[in-house]
Amino acid sequence: MAERITGHTELIGLIAYPIRHSSSPRMHNEAFAKLGLDYAYLAFEVDNSTLEDTIKGFRAMKVRGCNVSMPNKTVVHKYLDKLSPAAELCGAVNTIVNDNGVLTGHITDGIGFMSALKDAGIDIIGKKMTIVGAGGAATAIQVQAALDGVAEISIFNVKDSFFERAQKTVKDINEKTNCKATLYDLADLDALKREIESSFIFTNATGVGMKPLEGQTYIPDKSFFRPDLVVVDIIYSPTETAMLKMAKEVGCRTMNGLGMMLFQGAAAFELWTGQPMPIAHIKEVMNIKY
Ligand code: NAD
């Protein structure tokens, strides 16, 4: 590291709170080192109260870009100059690119989800997906899946503050893409069972299954799954949630959130450096299995 960092090294940041647990710094720094790229990636504890100052500072310091995570993803757009079409549709930004002082917000979570499936040899184009969640990650997946050609998406969410956002997502998808989207209340378990039954893939895109909801799932029992269903949980810590465990017991093809994490990072990496991330190397050194 001491040899690698010079007066020319460019900074890429990660701004979120909490953030010390993140594996993104290791992933990006391993990739920079492997390709001999002169960047360093560092995590900064930034919440909404210090976000504006941080972005101003990044502009002043000509920082090349950053990743953005909670609680800043849905707020940071206020301080940027431009948004990618997907970030605009999602109302969330997880990657910022600084092109000579012009800051553009992107969202790579949806690309990460779709690329992880492709990498695992799972083709969902033209098929039906049922997905639970209406937060930043869920919206990004729903928008990207619709843009990429998934035929039908049934979205479920509890009737919390995210439900309204899902209504907007469904409207946007139906108006702006060829995908048919429908929204349901997660309390309607008959509808959930019916929609999963007619889907090729089922995805959890909520925090149910990770701390503080670790060990929990809203899937009542194994009869909701069948062996030829693909079941994805975008949670990556733990790597096997209660829902994935249940799906494995039924014999479903399953995938955890590590692949999405890897490929959302790869998409951001390419936006900053113009080069593809060395995926095989990163999988090996970080022991990423999904
Ligand atoms: P968010 O806060 O924007 O959204 C939270 C979602 O969870 C909402 O839909 C909310 O209604 C739902 N929810 C919360 N409590 C619930 C409950 N008790 N029952 C049912 N639904 C409930 O969060 P986010 O950023 O969208 O992240 C959601 C999950 O996705 C987190 O577990 C996060 O770790 C994971 N994630 C993974 C990746 C990846 O690369 N694999 C990327 C981003 C997020």
Side-chain angles (χ1 to χ4, degrees), residues 69-70 73-74 109 132-139 156-163 165 186 204-208 210 213 216 218 233-237 256-262 264:
S69 194
M70 295 310 282
K73 275 173 115 164
T74 50
D109 287 334
V132 182
T139 308
F156 287 78
N157 208 71
V158 288
K159 286 229 166 151
D160 61 5
S161 56
F162 290 94
F163 199 83
R165 179 179 184 171
L186 185 58
N204 172 51
T206 75
V208 181
M210 68 178 279
L213 304 174
Q216 297 186 25
Y218 43 74
D233 200 324
I234 71 163
I235 290 171
Y236 52 83
S237 177
N256 66 31
L258 283 172
M260 173 172 163
M261 195 272 294
L262 172 66
Q264 62 77 29

mmCIF file of all heavy atoms in Angstrom, residues 69-70 73-74 109 132-139 156-163 165 186 204-208 210 213 216 218 233-237 256-262 264, ligand 1:
data_model
loop_
_atom_site.group_PDB
_atom_site.id
_atom_site.type_symbol
_atom_site.label_atom_id
_atom_site.label_comp_id
_atom_site.label_asym_id
_atom_site.label_seq_id
_atom_site.Cartn_x
_atom_site.Cartn_y
_atom_site.Cartn_z
ATOM 1 N N SER A 69 -24.493 5.055 0.619
ATOM 2 C CA SER A 69 -25.428 4.067 1.174
ATOM 3 C C SER A 69 -26.308 4.749 2.208
ATOM 4 O O SER A 69 -26.276 5.970 2.362
ATOM 5 C CB SER A 69 -24.649 2.871 1.729
ATOM 6 O OG SER A 69 -25.556 1.811 1.945
ATOM 7 N N MET A 70 -27.099 3.941 2.929
ATOM 8 C CA MET A 70 -28.069 4.505 3.874
ATOM 9 C C MET A 70 -27.335 5.303 4.958
ATOM 10 O O MET A 70 -26.256 4.899 5.357
ATOM 11 C CB MET A 70 -28.903 3.395 4.507
ATOM 12 C CG MET A 70 -29.776 2.661 3.484
ATOM 13 S SD MET A 70 -30.746 3.727 2.422
ATOM 14 C CE MET A 70 -32.066 4.167 3.506
ATOM 15 N N LYS A 73 -28.807 7.616 0.523
ATOM 16 C CA LYS A 73 -29.146 7.244 -0.855
ATOM 17 C C LYS A 73 -30.310 8.019 -1.464
ATOM 18 O O LYS A 73 -30.293 8.335 -2.648
ATOM 19 C CB LYS A 73 -29.519 5.752 -0.904
ATOM 20 C CG LYS A 73 -28.344 4.826 -1.044
ATOM 21 C CD LYS A 73 -28.807 3.396 -0.908
ATOM 22 C CE LYS A 73 -28.616 2.618 -2.160
ATOM 23 N NZ LYS A 73 -28.705 1.155 -1.962
ATOM 24 N N THR A 74 -31.312 8.295 -0.641
ATOM 25 C CA THR A 74 -32.504 8.938 -1.195
ATOM 26 C C THR A 74 -32.487 10.457 -0.991
ATOM 27 O O THR A 74 -33.450 11.143 -1.314
ATOM 28 C CB THR A 74 -33.784 8.364 -0.535
ATOM 29 O OG1 THR A 74 -33.601 8.414 0.886
ATOM 30 C CG2 THR A 74 -34.030 6.939 -0.967
ATOM 31 N N ASP A 109 -27.516 -0.712 -8.124
ATOM 32 C CA ASP A 109 -28.042 -1.887 -7.411
ATOM 33 C C ASP A 109 -28.833 -2.815 -8.337
ATOM 34 O O ASP A 109 -28.708 -4.047 -8.257
ATOM 35 C CB ASP A 109 -28.968 -1.454 -6.262
ATOM 36 C CG ASP A 109 -28.197 -0.864 -5.089
ATOM 37 O OD1 ASP A 109 -27.019 -1.208 -4.916
ATOM 38 O OD2 ASP A 109 -28.788 -0.052 -4.349
ATOM 39 N N VAL A 132 -40.619 -8.866 -2.875
ATOM 40 C CA VAL A 132 -41.105 -8.150 -1.695
ATOM 41 C C VAL A 132 -40.126 -7.035 -1.370
ATOM 42 O O VAL A 132 -38.921 -7.273 -1.257
ATOM 43 C CB VAL A 132 -41.280 -9.091 -0.488
ATOM 44 C CG1 VAL A 132 -41.828 -8.323 0.718
ATOM 45 C CG2 VAL A 132 -42.221 -10.236 -0.841
ATOM 46 N N GLY A 133 -40.655 -5.813 -1.256
ATOM 47 C CA GLY A 133 -39.823 -4.666 -0.907
ATOM 48 C C GLY A 133 -40.141 -3.465 -1.774
ATOM 49 O O GLY A 133 -40.567 -3.608 -2.925
ATOM 50 N N ALA A 134 -39.952 -2.287 -1.176
ATOM 51 C CA ALA A 134 -40.232 -1.044 -1.902
ATOM 52 C C ALA A 134 -39.236 0.038 -1.506
ATOM 53 O O ALA A 134 -39.452 1.215 -1.769
ATOM 54 C CB ALA A 134 -41.658 -0.585 -1.602
ATOM 55 N N GLY A 135 -38.141 -0.387 -0.890
ATOM 56 C CA GLY A 135 -37.109 0.579 -0.508
ATOM 57 C C GLY A 135 -36.162 0.848 -1.669
ATOM 58 O O GLY A 135 -36.460 0.506 -2.822
ATOM 59 N N GLY A 136 -34.993 1.425 -1.355
ATOM 60 C CA GLY A 136 -34.035 1.803 -2.395
ATOM 61 C C GLY A 136 -33.597 0.621 -3.244
ATOM 62 O O GLY A 136 -33.636 0.684 -4.480
ATOM 63 N N ALA A 137 -33.200 -0.471 -2.594
ATOM 64 C CA ALA A 137 -32.688 -1.632 -3.336
ATOM 65 C C ALA A 137 -33.803 -2.283 -4.143
ATOM 66 O O ALA A 137 -33.607 -2.618 -5.319
ATOM 67 C CB ALA A 137 -32.077 -2.634 -2.363
ATOM 68 N N ALA A 138 -34.969 -2.458 -3.524
ATOM 69 C CA ALA A 138 -36.086 -3.104 -4.219
ATOM 70 C C ALA A 138 -36.488 -2.308 -5.455
ATOM 71 O O ALA A 138 -36.684 -2.870 -6.538
ATOM 72 C CB ALA A 138 -37.276 -3.230 -3.258
ATOM 73 N N THR A 139 -36.595 -0.996 -5.294
ATOM 74 C CA THR A 139 -37.014 -0.150 -6.425
ATOM 75 C C THR A 139 -36.006 -0.244 -7.567
ATOM 76 O O THR A 139 -36.383 -0.355 -8.736
ATOM 77 C CB THR A 139 -37.168 1.314 -5.963
ATOM 78 O OG1 THR A 139 -38.020 1.333 -4.820
ATOM 79 C CG2 THR A 139 -37.779 2.181 -7.048
ATOM 80 N N PHE A 156 -44.837 -6.868 -3.602
ATOM 81 C CA PHE A 156 -45.545 -6.894 -2.316
ATOM 82 C C PHE A 156 -44.784 -6.018 -1.330
ATOM 83 O O PHE A 156 -43.550 -6.001 -1.329
ATOM 84 C CB PHE A 156 -45.622 -8.322 -1.749
ATOM 85 C CG PHE A 156 -46.591 -9.201 -2.477
ATOM 86 C CD1 PHE A 156 -46.266 -9.759 -3.702
ATOM 87 C CD2 PHE A 156 -47.848 -9.468 -1.934
ATOM 88 C CE1 PHE A 156 -47.162 -10.575 -4.387
ATOM 89 C CE2 PHE A 156 -48.757 -10.284 -2.603
ATOM 90 C CZ PHE A 156 -48.418 -10.834 -3.836
ATOM 91 N N ASN A 157 -45.533 -5.300 -0.486
ATOM 92 C CA ASN A 157 -44.894 -4.562 0.619
ATOM 93 C C ASN A 157 -45.882 -4.393 1.747
ATOM 94 O O ASN A 157 -47.100 -4.392 1.527
ATOM 95 C CB ASN A 157 -44.407 -3.177 0.159
ATOM 96 C CG ASN A 157 -43.214 -2.697 0.977
ATOM 97 O OD1 ASN A 157 -42.125 -3.225 0.835
ATOM 98 N ND2 ASN A 157 -43.421 -1.749 1.875
ATOM 99 N N VAL A 158 -45.349 -4.266 2.970
ATOM 100 C CA VAL A 158 -46.234 -3.946 4.088
ATOM 101 C C VAL A 158 -46.732 -2.516 3.896
ATOM 102 O O VAL A 158 -46.106 -1.723 3.177
ATOM 103 C CB VAL A 158 -45.515 -4.076 5.462
ATOM 104 C CG1 VAL A 158 -45.283 -5.533 5.810
ATOM 105 C CG2 VAL A 158 -44.206 -3.320 5.481
ATOM 106 N N LYS A 159 -47.847 -2.197 4.548
ATOM 107 C CA LYS A 159 -48.417 -0.861 4.346
ATOM 108 C C LYS A 159 -47.728 0.148 5.260
ATOM 109 O O LYS A 159 -48.335 0.755 6.137
ATOM 110 C CB LYS A 159 -49.926 -0.908 4.574
ATOM 111 C CG LYS A 159 -50.659 -1.574 3.436
ATOM 112 C CD LYS A 159 -51.827 -0.732 2.965
ATOM 113 C CE LYS A 159 -52.352 -1.204 1.645
ATOM 114 N NZ LYS A 159 -53.762 -0.956 1.437
ATOM 115 N N ASP A 160 -46.426 0.311 5.034
ATOM 116 C CA ASP A 160 -45.675 1.323 5.787
ATOM 117 C C ASP A 160 -45.412 2.514 4.866
ATOM 118 O O ASP A 160 -46.056 2.649 3.820
ATOM 119 C CB ASP A 160 -44.366 0.725 6.346
ATOM 120 C CG ASP A 160 -43.440 0.223 5.234
ATOM 121 O OD1 ASP A 160 -43.758 0.415 4.046
ATOM 122 O OD2 ASP A 160 -42.397 -0.367 5.576
ATOM 123 N N SER A 161 -44.446 3.365 5.237
ATOM 124 C CA SER A 161 -44.207 4.587 4.455
ATOM 125 C C SER A 161 -43.651 4.288 3.060
ATOM 126 O O SER A 161 -43.651 5.153 2.188
ATOM 127 C CB SER A 161 -43.238 5.493 5.215
ATOM 128 O OG SER A 161 -42.061 4.783 5.494
ATOM 129 N N PHE A 162 -43.176 3.055 2.836
ATOM 130 C CA PHE A 162 -42.618 2.705 1.516
ATOM 131 C C PHE A 162 -43.704 2.335 0.501
ATOM 132 O O PHE A 162 -43.437 2.278 -0.695
ATOM 133 C CB PHE A 162 -41.650 1.519 1.648
ATOM 134 C CG PHE A 162 -40.368 1.862 2.349
ATOM 135 C CD1 PHE A 162 -40.238 1.662 3.715
ATOM 136 C CD2 PHE A 162 -39.289 2.381 1.655
ATOM 137 C CE1 PHE A 162 -39.056 1.962 4.372
ATOM 138 C CE2 PHE A 162 -38.101 2.688 2.301
ATOM 139 C CZ PHE A 162 -37.983 2.482 3.665
ATOM 140 N N PHE A 163 -44.923 2.053 0.995
ATOM 141 C CA PHE A 163 -45.975 1.545 0.104
ATOM 142 C C PHE A 163 -46.306 2.545 -1.009
ATOM 143 O O PHE A 163 -46.470 2.179 -2.171
ATOM 144 C CB PHE A 163 -47.231 1.195 0.918
ATOM 145 C CG PHE A 163 -48.176 0.279 0.196
ATOM 146 C CD1 PHE A 163 -47.973 -1.095 0.194
ATOM 147 C CD2 PHE A 163 -49.260 0.786 -0.505
ATOM 148 C CE1 PHE A 163 -48.838 -1.953 -0.488
ATOM 149 C CE2 PHE A 163 -50.130 -0.058 -1.190
ATOM 150 C CZ PHE A 163 -49.921 -1.437 -1.183
ATOM 151 N N ARG A 165 -44.388 4.731 -2.275
ATOM 152 C CA ARG A 165 -43.295 4.739 -3.233
ATOM 153 C C ARG A 165 -43.454 3.593 -4.242
ATOM 154 O O ARG A 165 -43.200 3.746 -5.438
ATOM 155 C CB ARG A 165 -41.985 4.579 -2.457
ATOM 156 C CG ARG A 165 -40.779 4.557 -3.306
ATOM 157 C CD ARG A 165 -39.591 4.429 -2.405
ATOM 158 N NE ARG A 165 -38.387 4.491 -3.167
ATOM 159 C CZ ARG A 165 -37.184 4.577 -2.653
ATOM 160 N NH1 ARG A 165 -37.050 4.641 -1.356
ATOM 161 N NH2 ARG A 165 -36.139 4.621 -3.405
ATOM 162 N N LEU A 186 -48.521 -6.943 1.506
ATOM 163 C CA LEU A 186 -47.870 -8.178 1.971
ATOM 164 C C LEU A 186 -48.744 -8.944 2.970
ATOM 165 O O LEU A 186 -48.557 -10.143 3.175
ATOM 166 C CB LEU A 186 -46.490 -7.844 2.582
ATOM 167 C CG LEU A 186 -45.619 -9.022 3.011
ATOM 168 C CD1 LEU A 186 -45.329 -9.976 1.853
ATOM 169 C CD2 LEU A 186 -44.310 -8.538 3.610
ATOM 170 N N ASN A 204 -36.540 -11.618 -2.089
ATOM 171 C CA ASN A 204 -36.710 -10.762 -0.912
ATOM 172 C C ASN A 204 -35.784 -9.568 -1.043
ATOM 173 O O ASN A 204 -34.570 -9.728 -1.141
ATOM 174 C CB ASN A 204 -36.374 -11.490 0.385
ATOM 175 C CG ASN A 204 -36.364 -10.514 1.557
ATOM 176 O OD1 ASN A 204 -37.324 -9.755 1.746
ATOM 177 N ND2 ASN A 204 -35.283 -10.483 2.318
ATOM 178 N N ALA A 205 -36.363 -8.366 -1.042
ATOM 179 C CA ALA A 205 -35.552 -7.140 -1.109
ATOM 180 C C ALA A 205 -35.895 -6.226 0.068
ATOM 181 O O ALA A 205 -35.930 -5.001 -0.059
ATOM 182 C CB ALA A 205 -35.759 -6.431 -2.441
ATOM 183 N N THR A 206 -36.192 -6.856 1.213
ATOM 184 C CA THR A 206 -36.397 -6.098 2.456
ATOM 185 C C THR A 206 -35.288 -6.490 3.434
ATOM 186 O O THR A 206 -34.508 -7.389 3.167
ATOM 187 C CB THR A 206 -37.751 -6.431 3.121
ATOM 188 O OG1 THR A 206 -37.646 -7.733 3.739
ATOM 189 C CG2 THR A 206 -38.891 -6.432 2.122
ATOM 190 N N GLY A 207 -35.293 -5.842 4.583
ATOM 191 C CA GLY A 207 -34.311 -6.168 5.614
ATOM 192 C C GLY A 207 -34.759 -7.331 6.504
ATOM 193 O O GLY A 207 -34.065 -7.675 7.470
ATOM 194 N N VAL A 208 -35.902 -7.947 6.182
ATOM 195 C CA VAL A 208 -36.383 -9.070 7.000
ATOM 196 C C VAL A 208 -35.481 -10.279 6.752
ATOM 197 O O VAL A 208 -35.435 -10.805 5.640
ATOM 198 C CB VAL A 208 -37.855 -9.419 6.681
ATOM 199 C CG1 VAL A 208 -38.330 -10.577 7.553
ATOM 200 C CG2 VAL A 208 -38.758 -8.206 6.880
ATOM 201 N N MET A 210 -32.195 -10.022 8.222
ATOM 202 C CA MET A 210 -30.904 -9.556 8.753
ATOM 203 C C MET A 210 -31.162 -8.757 10.034
ATOM 204 O O MET A 210 -32.294 -8.398 10.337
ATOM 205 C CB MET A 210 -30.142 -8.707 7.730
ATOM 206 C CG MET A 210 -30.742 -7.366 7.406
ATOM 207 S SD MET A 210 -29.745 -6.425 6.238
ATOM 208 C CE MET A 210 -28.498 -5.750 7.322
ATOM 209 N N LEU A 213 -33.761 -8.157 12.372
ATOM 210 C CA LEU A 213 -34.818 -9.131 12.066
ATOM 211 C C LEU A 213 -34.226 -10.478 11.624
ATOM 212 O O LEU A 213 -34.862 -11.243 10.908
ATOM 213 C CB LEU A 213 -35.746 -8.567 10.966
ATOM 214 C CG LEU A 213 -36.395 -7.204 11.265
ATOM 215 C CD1 LEU A 213 -37.176 -6.679 10.069
ATOM 216 C CD2 LEU A 213 -37.326 -7.303 12.483
ATOM 217 N N GLN A 216 -35.834 -14.227 10.889
ATOM 218 C CA GLN A 216 -37.262 -14.082 10.574
ATOM 219 C C GLN A 216 -37.511 -14.163 9.069
ATOM 220 O O GLN A 216 -36.629 -13.872 8.266
ATOM 221 C CB GLN A 216 -37.772 -12.724 11.075
ATOM 222 C CG GLN A 216 -37.698 -12.568 12.579
ATOM 223 C CD GLN A 216 -38.334 -11.274 13.056
ATOM 224 O OE1 GLN A 216 -39.205 -10.708 12.401
ATOM 225 N NE2 GLN A 216 -37.891 -10.797 14.204
ATOM 226 N N TYR A 218 -41.236 -13.577 6.341
ATOM 227 C CA TYR A 218 -42.698 -13.390 6.240
ATOM 228 C C TYR A 218 -43.328 -14.526 5.428
ATOM 229 O O TYR A 218 -44.523 -14.566 5.226
ATOM 230 C CB TYR A 218 -43.028 -12.023 5.590
ATOM 231 C CG TYR A 218 -42.131 -11.752 4.421
ATOM 232 C CD1 TYR A 218 -42.295 -12.425 3.220
ATOM 233 C CD2 TYR A 218 -41.058 -10.881 4.554
ATOM 234 C CE1 TYR A 218 -41.422 -12.246 2.176
ATOM 235 C CE2 TYR A 218 -40.178 -10.686 3.497
ATOM 236 C CZ TYR A 218 -40.380 -11.381 2.312
ATOM 237 O OH TYR A 218 -39.505 -11.216 1.285
ATOM 238 N N ASP A 233 -32.398 -13.906 -2.065
ATOM 239 C CA ASP A 233 -32.467 -12.955 -0.950
ATOM 240 C C ASP A 233 -31.322 -11.983 -1.147
ATOM 241 O O ASP A 233 -30.171 -12.412 -1.241
ATOM 242 C CB ASP A 233 -32.337 -13.692 0.395
ATOM 243 C CG ASP A 233 -32.892 -12.849 1.528
ATOM 244 O OD1 ASP A 233 -32.725 -11.605 1.451
ATOM 245 O OD2 ASP A 233 -33.484 -13.402 2.461
ATOM 246 N N ILE A 234 -31.612 -10.688 -1.226
ATOM 247 C CA ILE A 234 -30.526 -9.732 -1.495
ATOM 248 C C ILE A 234 -29.716 -9.417 -0.239
ATOM 249 O O ILE A 234 -28.715 -8.710 -0.296
ATOM 250 C CB ILE A 234 -31.020 -8.447 -2.193
ATOM 251 C CG1 ILE A 234 -31.848 -7.574 -1.256
ATOM 252 C CG2 ILE A 234 -31.765 -8.771 -3.472
ATOM 253 C CD1 ILE A 234 -31.999 -6.150 -1.779
ATOM 254 N N ILE A 235 -30.134 -9.967 0.894
ATOM 255 C CA ILE A 235 -29.330 -9.847 2.123
ATOM 256 C C ILE A 235 -28.058 -10.674 1.946
ATOM 257 O O ILE A 235 -28.105 -11.777 1.407
ATOM 258 C CB ILE A 235 -30.154 -10.353 3.335
ATOM 259 C CG1 ILE A 235 -31.300 -9.369 3.635
ATOM 260 C CG2 ILE A 235 -29.264 -10.556 4.561
ATOM 261 C CD1 ILE A 235 -32.293 -9.862 4.667
ATOM 262 N N TYR A 236 -26.895 -10.124 2.383
ATOM 263 C CA TYR A 236 -25.662 -10.923 2.289
ATOM 264 C C TYR A 236 -25.024 -11.169 3.649
ATOM 265 O O TYR A 236 -23.996 -11.852 3.745
ATOM 266 C CB TYR A 236 -24.656 -10.300 1.325
ATOM 267 C CG TYR A 236 -24.329 -8.840 1.559
ATOM 268 C CD1 TYR A 236 -23.391 -8.466 2.507
ATOM 269 C CD2 TYR A 236 -24.956 -7.853 0.831
ATOM 270 C CE1 TYR A 236 -23.098 -7.143 2.733
ATOM 271 C CE2 TYR A 236 -24.668 -6.516 1.035
ATOM 272 C CZ TYR A 236 -23.735 -6.169 1.986
ATOM 273 O OH TYR A 236 -23.457 -4.855 2.205
ATOM 274 N N SER A 237 -25.615 -10.639 4.691
ATOM 275 C CA SER A 237 -25.143 -10.931 6.037
ATOM 276 C C SER A 237 -26.365 -11.104 6.945
ATOM 277 O O SER A 237 -27.028 -10.113 7.259
ATOM 278 C CB SER A 237 -24.262 -9.790 6.548
ATOM 279 O OG SER A 237 -23.866 -10.049 7.861
ATOM 280 N N ASN A 256 -27.858 -15.724 -2.651
ATOM 281 C CA ASN A 256 -27.856 -14.674 -1.621
ATOM 282 C C ASN A 256 -27.418 -13.340 -2.226
ATOM 283 O O ASN A 256 -27.189 -13.221 -3.433
ATOM 284 C CB ASN A 256 -26.988 -15.087 -0.423
ATOM 285 C CG ASN A 256 -25.511 -15.202 -0.786
ATOM 286 O OD1 ASN A 256 -25.019 -14.495 -1.666
ATOM 287 N ND2 ASN A 256 -24.797 -16.091 -0.121
ATOM 288 N N GLY A 257 -27.273 -12.305 -1.384
ATOM 289 C CA GLY A 257 -27.016 -10.953 -1.880
ATOM 290 C C GLY A 257 -25.564 -10.640 -2.236
ATOM 291 O O GLY A 257 -25.271 -9.518 -2.681
ATOM 292 N N LEU A 258 -24.663 -11.612 -2.051
ATOM 293 C CA LEU A 258 -23.245 -11.317 -2.325
ATOM 294 C C LEU A 258 -22.986 -11.021 -3.807
ATOM 295 O O LEU A 258 -22.148 -10.180 -4.141
ATOM 296 C CB LEU A 258 -22.364 -12.480 -1.854
ATOM 297 C CG LEU A 258 -22.123 -12.550 -0.349
ATOM 298 C CD1 LEU A 258 -21.404 -13.845 0.014
ATOM 299 C CD2 LEU A 258 -21.318 -11.343 0.143
ATOM 300 N N GLY A 259 -23.709 -11.725 -4.680
ATOM 301 C CA GLY A 259 -23.531 -11.499 -6.116
ATOM 302 C C GLY A 259 -23.972 -10.094 -6.503
ATOM 303 O O GLY A 259 -23.281 -9.381 -7.245
ATOM 304 N N MET A 260 -25.112 -9.667 -5.969
ATOM 305 C CA MET A 260 -25.599 -8.312 -6.251
ATOM 306 C C MET A 260 -24.618 -7.276 -5.718
ATOM 307 O O MET A 260 -24.305 -6.284 -6.386
ATOM 308 C CB MET A 260 -26.972 -8.135 -5.603
ATOM 309 C CG MET A 260 -27.520 -6.725 -5.686
ATOM 310 S SD MET A 260 -29.230 -6.676 -5.121
ATOM 311 C CE MET A 260 -29.422 -4.926 -4.836
ATOM 312 N N MET A 261 -24.083 -7.552 -4.498
ATOM 313 C CA MET A 261 -23.108 -6.633 -3.898
ATOM 314 C C MET A 261 -21.872 -6.511 -4.794
ATOM 315 O O MET A 261 -21.394 -5.412 -5.086
ATOM 316 C CB MET A 261 -22.730 -7.181 -2.519
ATOM 317 C CG MET A 261 -22.024 -6.248 -1.592
ATOM 318 S SD MET A 261 -20.256 -6.279 -1.792
ATOM 319 C CE MET A 261 -19.874 -7.926 -1.248
ATOM 320 N N LEU A 262 -21.392 -7.659 -5.283
ATOM 321 C CA LEU A 262 -20.208 -7.669 -6.149
ATOM 322 C C LEU A 262 -20.460 -6.897 -7.444
ATOM 323 O O LEU A 262 -19.664 -6.028 -7.836
ATOM 324 C CB LEU A 262 -19.839 -9.127 -6.468
ATOM 325 C CG LEU A 262 -18.746 -9.366 -7.509
ATOM 326 C CD1 LEU A 262 -17.410 -8.843 -7.007
ATOM 327 C CD2 LEU A 262 -18.631 -10.856 -7.828
ATOM 328 N N GLN A 264 -22.939 -4.715 -8.238
ATOM 329 C CA GLN A 264 -23.239 -3.273 -8.130
ATOM 330 C C GLN A 264 -21.929 -2.511 -7.975
ATOM 331 O O GLN A 264 -21.763 -1.412 -8.507
ATOM 332 C CB GLN A 264 -24.263 -2.950 -7.022
ATOM 333 C CG GLN A 264 -23.879 -3.290 -5.579
ATOM 334 C CD GLN A 264 -22.894 -2.308 -4.934
ATOM 335 O OE1 GLN A 264 -22.876 -1.128 -5.279
ATOM 336 N NE2 GLN A 264 -22.074 -2.803 -4.023
HETATM 337 P P1 NAD B 1 -34.832 0.533 2.753
HETATM 338 O O1 NAD B 1 -34.812 0.999 4.158
HETATM 339 O O2 NAD B 1 -34.814 1.534 1.640
HETATM 340 O O3 NAD B 1 -36.137 -0.407 2.541
HETATM 341 C C1 NAD B 1 -36.566 -1.303 3.521
HETATM 342 C C2 NAD B 1 -37.699 -2.221 2.979
HETATM 343 O O4 NAD B 1 -37.957 -3.234 3.955
HETATM 344 C C3 NAD B 1 -39.022 -1.530 2.717
HETATM 345 O O5 NAD B 1 -39.663 -2.125 1.614
HETATM 346 C C4 NAD B 1 -39.803 -1.829 4.000
HETATM 347 O O6 NAD B 1 -41.217 -1.768 3.809
HETATM 348 C C5 NAD B 1 -39.360 -3.244 4.260
HETATM 349 N N1 NAD B 1 -39.542 -3.665 5.648
HETATM 350 C C6 NAD B 1 -38.937 -3.140 6.743
HETATM 351 N N2 NAD B 1 -39.347 -3.809 7.852
HETATM 352 C C7 NAD B 1 -40.200 -4.795 7.427
HETATM 353 C C8 NAD B 1 -40.940 -5.809 8.078
HETATM 354 N N3 NAD B 1 -40.882 -5.983 9.410
HETATM 355 N N4 NAD B 1 -41.700 -6.650 7.318
HETATM 356 C C9 NAD B 1 -41.770 -6.503 5.971
HETATM 357 N N5 NAD B 1 -41.096 -5.537 5.304
HETATM 358 C C10 NAD B 1 -40.326 -4.706 6.018
HETATM 359 O O7 NAD B 1 -33.629 -0.486 2.620
HETATM 360 P P2 NAD B 1 -32.814 -0.909 1.305
HETATM 361 O O8 NAD B 1 -31.625 -0.043 1.161
HETATM 362 O O9 NAD B 1 -33.753 -1.053 0.165
HETATM 363 O O10 NAD B 1 -32.269 -2.342 1.765
HETATM 364 C C11 NAD B 1 -33.138 -3.467 1.922
HETATM 365 C C12 NAD B 1 -32.307 -4.721 2.126
HETATM 366 O O11 NAD B 1 -31.496 -4.945 0.990
HETATM 367 C C13 NAD B 1 -31.334 -4.650 3.305
HETATM 368 O O12 NAD B 1 -31.325 -5.907 3.926
HETATM 369 C C14 NAD B 1 -29.981 -4.412 2.660
HETATM 370 O O13 NAD B 1 -28.919 -4.967 3.379
HETATM 371 C C15 NAD B 1 -30.148 -5.134 1.344
HETATM 372 N N6 NAD B 1 -29.303 -4.584 0.255
HETATM 373 C C16 NAD B 1 -28.483 -5.453 -0.394
HETATM 374 C C17 NAD B 1 -27.701 -4.984 -1.440
HETATM 375 C C18 NAD B 1 -26.780 -5.930 -2.140
HETATM 376 O O14 NAD B 1 -25.926 -5.462 -2.919
HETATM 377 N N7 NAD B 1 -26.919 -7.212 -1.970
HETATM 378 C C19 NAD B 1 -27.753 -3.627 -1.824
HETATM 379 C C20 NAD B 1 -28.619 -2.776 -1.141
HETATM 380 C C21 NAD B 1 -29.403 -3.282 -0.091
#
